[in-house]
Amino acid sequence: MSRQTVTPEEKVRLEEVRRLIRYHDHRYYVLDDPVISDGEYDQLFNELLILEARYPEFASVDSPSHHIGGAVAEGFTAVQHVHPMLSLDNIFSIAEFRSFQEKLQRFLHTKQPLRFMIEPKVDGLAVELVYRQGVLHAGSTRGDGLVGENITAQLKTVKAIPLRLQDDQGFTIPDELYVRGEVFLSKQGFHRLNQLRHQQGEALFANPRNAAAGSLRQLDPRITSRRPLDFFVYGVANPEVLPAEGQEALLTVLSRFGFPVSPLVKGCALPAEVEQQYQQMLAIRHTLDYEVDGLVVKVDAFALQRRLGHTARAPRWAVAWKFPATQATTIIKAVDFQVGRTGVVTPVALLAPVEIDGVVVKRATLHNQDEMARKDLRLGDSVLVQRAGDVIPEVIKVLPELRNGAEQSIEFPISCPECGHPLVRIQGEAATRCVNNHCRAQQRQRLIYFAGKSGLDLEGLGKKNVEQLVQSGLVGDIADFFFLSAGPLASLEGWGEKSARNVLAAIENRKKIPMARFLGALGIRHVGEVTAGVLAEHFSSLQGLMEADEEQFRRIDGIGEQVAASLTMFFQDPHVHRMIERLQEGGLTLLPSGNKQEQPLAGRVFLFTGSLQAMSREEAKRLVKAKGGQVAATVSERVTDVVAGEKAGGKIKKARELQLPLLSEMDFLQLVSAGEE
Ligand code: IVH
């Protein structure tokens, strides 16, 4: 073997990385309070593995690479795992997946493609459940993989965990079964829990995983029982006692015993299918009600698993193909207080730019005054930032242990940063508001909204351009859009004749518009797409709306007190009357509410069968209706789309007979999200 020269810096770095990993392991596993993102931890761990592979002479018996973190918390008894609970190696790319699969083929001396099982890597807490004669006997956390904590009493409170195996399924109950799976909290459950903690002045959990861990490691199981914990099974440490030759068959047996198996598990005959499934899972992950941080890929056949074996840390027959990280740490440079179109003041953190999932994040919302106070945020603070899907990036938590004393406190303003009007806090509301309707910031935001995607969607009039129009004085209220002319537009910096012409054409195009769409675009407080539709059905003209009083609004089905008050305030404002008059002079023509034709699912009739993963059946039906479609309860020729969820049954057969188009849940999601931001 060729000896490498070791530079002192690398030796120092190796020790440093070990020290860091120990520190973060303790934060994560013992305190349930990590201060770096999983992605950053993975990077650190990778660095350690690389350094140790390069310099075997610095191997050390107590390196964190030998175990997977964790220690027994005070108050719980330790349990020695009969079969060690291994971890998984991580991969991050298609290239790594391909080399994983090639390595397996080399190891097994085969050129045949391997059959894999893929499972979502639900981000919760790994647990072991020991069943004796079919009865739940003991449950424990993973701990360091060899020794965990006895949390039997707590696990028994998780309703998804069977206390006794179902024995009427034609399978013999083994004497002893070591079941493994993931305990987790739904996103909804996590938010509810945090809301409650907020009301009670308790510290909030950073994410569902920590909330699940915190809930399971309650010494008082009665507290655990009040937390909506959930569970998916994914394996057994002694599968030889069951009639299953591979992972897929094993999951079937487990599900017959009464364990919940993720409906997203799939067998893949070819590696290319795994790659496809990865993309699919990535696409739907944000629509699931629980956090999934990757895909676990397992060789299906137990015979092959046994031949492949495992290293000290992880099996060779499985990997975790992680999704790009959604969190990162960075520093707060400043806080901007933004006034929205309804006057709500939102604190926004301006950050040292940091890349998350391929996008550079420079700003993140701090939500509201209370949230800011609760976090005790200061300028110069290190913070954990999250960007998940299309959601606006948010500051998840402050890392006060990284303060150096130079941080400065931040005051929430008492008057509007734009118009100086005193800010108001209405009791029971989280929002701090500027209540001056004529505040320039609010007007500007209303104009941006009116021209934007949720409004008239005027091409060429994005946020920046609208701001420019306001700045230059060409537009002051929404009616002004209808009186723009080519000359002044073309002479704006960066415009020119062509862009002026295009924008004018886009505006002209929208002057004839369904009433509901127009009402929605006005950005009236509490009036979204649905309410706008209701209004358009009840009023045939803007005139009618301006003449209605609060009582009249309130009598309409689907319009509550708050909305009625907001509508009255808007439509009785003389400024609004003038603006509407000018819009009409400018050519605004409202089309009657027969606008269903405009809606993307108009004329289509959906039938749902089987269970959906991303949303409830009710939500799915609501979505269809909101987009102008109809929902049928029985299969008939009238149906245009059959959406088949998991375990879809007899209706599918009938639908096939009638040759109706079948959609997977994924197809459906793509269909209803088409055209959304
Ligand atoms: S298999 C020997 N399957 O990922 C195989 N793990 O880093 C070990 N996890 O501790 C685990 N979903 O907490 C497996 N379908 C799945 C999983 C899964 C989530 C977690 C589990 C484990 C960690 C591995």
Side-chain angles (χ1 to χ4, degrees):
M1 213 173 80
S2 70
R3 268 212 64 85
Q4 314 197 17
T5 39
V6 181
T7 57
E9 293 97 300
E10 280 177 312
K11 169 105 205 276
V12 171
R13 178 64 189 162
L14 180 64
E15 279 309 326
E16 168 76 0
V17 172
R18 281 179 181 156
R19 193 185 62 73
L20 282 170
I21 292 177
R22 276 187 205 111
Y23 169 69
H24 291 303
D25 276 350
H26 185 253
R27 305 264 348 175
Y28 192 89
Y29 289 104
V30 180
L31 306 179
D32 292 330
D33 186 25
V35 294
I36 56 169
S37 65
D38 289 359
E40 287 165 311
Y41 177 90
D42 289 343
Q43 249 176 26
L44 215 51
F45 209 97
N46 253 352
E47 186 179 351
L48 176 67
L49 295 181
I50 290 169
L51 284 171
E52 288 191 344
R54 196 180 297 158
Y55 306 114
E57 62 271 42
F58 295 130
S60 135
V61 282
D62 67 352
S63 166
S65 61
H66 289 294
H67 66 84
I68 314 124
V72 178
E74 272 175 23
F76 288 104
T77 53
V79 191
Q80 174 110 32
H81 295 299
V82 177
H83 310 269
M85 288 181 80
L86 299 177
S87 183
L88 290 171
D89 285 332
N90 292 323
I91 57 171
F92 299 91
S93 64
I94 292 200
E96 280 178 292
F97 171 66
R98 292 187 181 160
S99 78
F100 164 71
Q101 118 93 18
E102 283 158 16
K103 207 167 80 189
L104 294 180
Q105 285 181 323
R106 274 201 307 278
F107 202 102
L108 295 167
H109 302 292
T110 177
K111 292 214 158 54
Q112 296 293 315
L114 298 166
R115 182 184 157 77
F116 290 108
M117 278 299 285
I118 56 124
E119 302 168 6
K121 189 168 183 300
V122 177
D123 200 10
L125 211 74
V127 297
E128 175 167 83
L129 305 165
V130 184
Y131 288 81
R132 293 221 170 119
Q133 265 78 43
V135 174
L136 178 58
H137 167 77
S140 53
T141 62
R142 184 174 70 179
D144 67 0
L146 299 174
V147 178
E149 292 158 342
N150 182 339
I151 52 163
T152 313
Q154 289 74 10
L155 284 171
K156 282 185 172 169
T157 72
V158 178
K159 296 190 183 56
I161 294 178
L163 299 179
R164 178 188 284 273
L165 305 182
Q166 291 176 8
D167 56 5
D168 53 355
Q169 302 287 311
F171 294 115
T172 315
I173 301 282
D175 289 346
E176 209 162 40
L177 192 64
Y178 294 88
V179 175
R180 272 118 191 234
E182 197 82 356
V183 171
F184 63 96
L185 203 60
S186 70
K187 291 179 192 168
Q188 224 182 63
F190 160 68
H191 288 301
R192 271 207 309 272
L193 179 58
N194 261 358
Q195 254 167 19
L196 211 70
R197 290 174 74 87
H198 176 60
Q199 280 162 15
Q200 293 166 351
E202 291 172 78
L204 301 197
F205 289 115
N207 55 47
R209 199 208 81 87
N210 295 130
S215 302
L216 265 189
R217 293 162 86 254
Q218 286 287 337
L219 281 168
D220 181 352
R222 282 173 305 184
I223 299 181
T224 312
S225 74
R226 277 182 238 127
R227 308 276 172 87
L229 291 166
D230 209 338
F231 177 74
F232 278 139
V233 74
Y234 57 66
V236 157
N238 57 335
E240 60 283 354
V241 302
L242 295 175
E245 298 294 315
Q247 176 71 4
E248 184 158 36
L250 173 73
L251 292 179
T252 307
V253 175
L254 289 172
S255 120
R256 298 278 197 89
F257 278 155
F259 291 101
V261 175
S262 162
L264 299 171
V265 306
K266 274 203 168 65
C268 294
L270 295 169
E273 262 179 67
V274 176
E275 295 173 16
Q276 225 176 7
Q277 289 298 327
Y278 175 86
Q279 298 302 343
Q280 291 226 350
M281 199 84 89
L282 191 58
I284 63 158
R285 70 186 287 212
H286 295 300
T287 66
L288 299 172
D289 190 34
Y290 45 86
E291 302 265 3
V292 171
D293 63 349
L295 208 64
V296 181
V297 187
K298 300 176 179 174
V299 170
D300 185 34
F302 288 151
L304 297 183
Q305 287 189 6
R306 279 191 295 272
R307 277 173 61 196
L308 287 159
H310 56 82
T311 66
R313 188 180 124 82
R316 287 196 194 87
W317 44 265
V319 279
W321 187 351
K322 298 288 282 278
F323 292 143
T326 56
Q327 297 188 339
T329 38
T330 185
I331 288 173
I332 297 224
K333 298 282 199 202
V335 175
D336 201 9
F337 293 91
Q338 282 186 355
V339 185
R341 98 190 121 86
T342 59
V344 175
V345 178
T346 306
V348 176
L350 308 184
L351 309 165
V354 60
E355 195 181 309
I356 307 181
D357 194 2
V359 172
V360 177
V361 175
K362 295 184 196 145
R363 309 161 67 84
T365 179
L366 292 161
H367 298 294
N368 55 47
Q369 191 168 5
D370 284 354
E371 274 292 300
M372 225 179 99
R374 187 183 60 69
K375 291 190 173 111
D376 179 27
L377 191 86
R378 308 189 191 161
L379 288 189
D381 262 341
S382 296
V383 288
L384 192 63
V385 178
Q386 173 163 295
R387 176 184 160 267
D390 299 334
V391 184
I392 301 168
E394 53 180 338
V395 171
I396 296 284
K397 67 188 288 190
V398 178
L399 310 175
E401 54 281 346
L402 300 183
R403 281 183 182 151
N404 62 15
E407 296 76 15
Q408 292 160 10
S409 55
I410 309 162
E411 295 294 329
F412 202 94
I414 52 168
S415 57
C416 174
E418 186 92 13
C419 72
H421 203 279
L423 296 179
V424 171
R425 196 78 206 262
I426 296 171
Q427 232 192 341
E429 278 189 26
T432 307
R433 282 175 198 281
C434 166
V435 290
N436 168 18
N437 246 337
H438 306 289
C439 166
R440 283 213 319 276
Q442 289 183 47
Q443 281 169 344
R444 194 168 55 235
Q445 293 302 326
R446 281 198 286 265
L447 290 165
I448 291 169
Y449 184 82
F450 183 77
K453 288 240 188 320
S454 326
L456 296 200
D457 195 11
L458 300 171
E459 208 167 316
L461 286 181
K463 184 169 185 272
K464 285 244 159 59
N465 282 354
V466 173
E467 276 171 343
Q468 194 186 10
L469 293 186
V470 175
Q471 187 91 50
S472 64
L474 287 182
V475 171
D477 73 15
I478 59 174
D480 293 334
F481 282 122
F482 284 21
F483 290 94
L484 287 171
S485 54
L489 272 185
S491 62
L492 287 175
E493 198 184 320
W495 281 62
E497 286 201 6
K498 187 157 175 244
S499 14
R501 250 198 330 267
N502 288 344
V503 161
L504 288 177
I507 295 171
E508 202 53 42
N509 222 337
R510 291 284 194 272
K511 287 188 177 174
K512 272 203 182 92
I513 187 159
M515 181 150 168
R517 173 111 187 249
F518 176 77
L519 291 176
L522 290 173
I524 306 166
R525 202 174 154 204
H526 301 307
V527 179
E529 205 182 320
V530 177
T531 309
V534 172
L535 288 172
E537 273 175 27
H538 277 80
F539 295 90
S540 52
S541 68
L542 291 172
Q543 205 54 39
L545 282 158
M546 288 190 283
E547 283 164 8
D549 61 14
E550 191 162 342
E551 187 49 36
Q552 232 171 313
F553 285 127
R554 223 181 298 171
R555 278 202 302 267
I556 300 174
D557 198 22
I559 293 199
E561 243 168 72
Q562 255 191 342
V563 185
S566 169
L567 284 167
T568 320
M569 191 154 99
F570 184 85
F571 283 110
Q572 294 195 349
D573 182 341
H575 285 94
V576 170
H577 290 187
R578 248 198 317 283
M579 182 179 85
I580 289 179
E581 249 167 57
R582 289 185 57 232
L583 279 163
Q584 286 166 334
E585 278 165 28
L588 174 72
T589 312
L590 295 186
L591 306 173
S593 173
N595 58 357
K596 290 256 152 66
Q597 295 309 320
E598 280 259 323
Q599 294 180 280
L601 302 184
R604 290 169 79 160
V605 181
F606 285 76
L607 178 102
F608 292 95
T609 173
S611 58
L612 301 178
Q613 301 316 311
M615 60 182 82
S616 70
R617 183 83 70 87
E618 282 319 304
E619 278 173 281
K621 288 182 180 173
R622 233 178 291 134
L623 254 173
V624 167
K625 288 181 189 160
K627 299 203 171 242
Q630 286 172 282
V631 179
T634 51
V635 187
S636 74
E637 310 226 286
R638 191 171 85 86
V639 173
T640 60
D641 300 80
V642 178
V643 182
E646 292 291 325
K647 301 199 183 118
K651 286 184 184 163
I652 288 284
K653 215 171 134 227
K654 181 122 191 258
R656 286 221 174 90
E657 281 164 21
L658 292 179
Q659 298 191 325
L660 299 175
L662 284 179
L663 272 63
S664 68
E665 178 168 4
M666 185 68 98
D667 299 332
F668 174 69
L669 287 174
Q670 275 163 4
L671 189 69
V672 290
S673 62
E676 309 251 312
E677 257 181 303

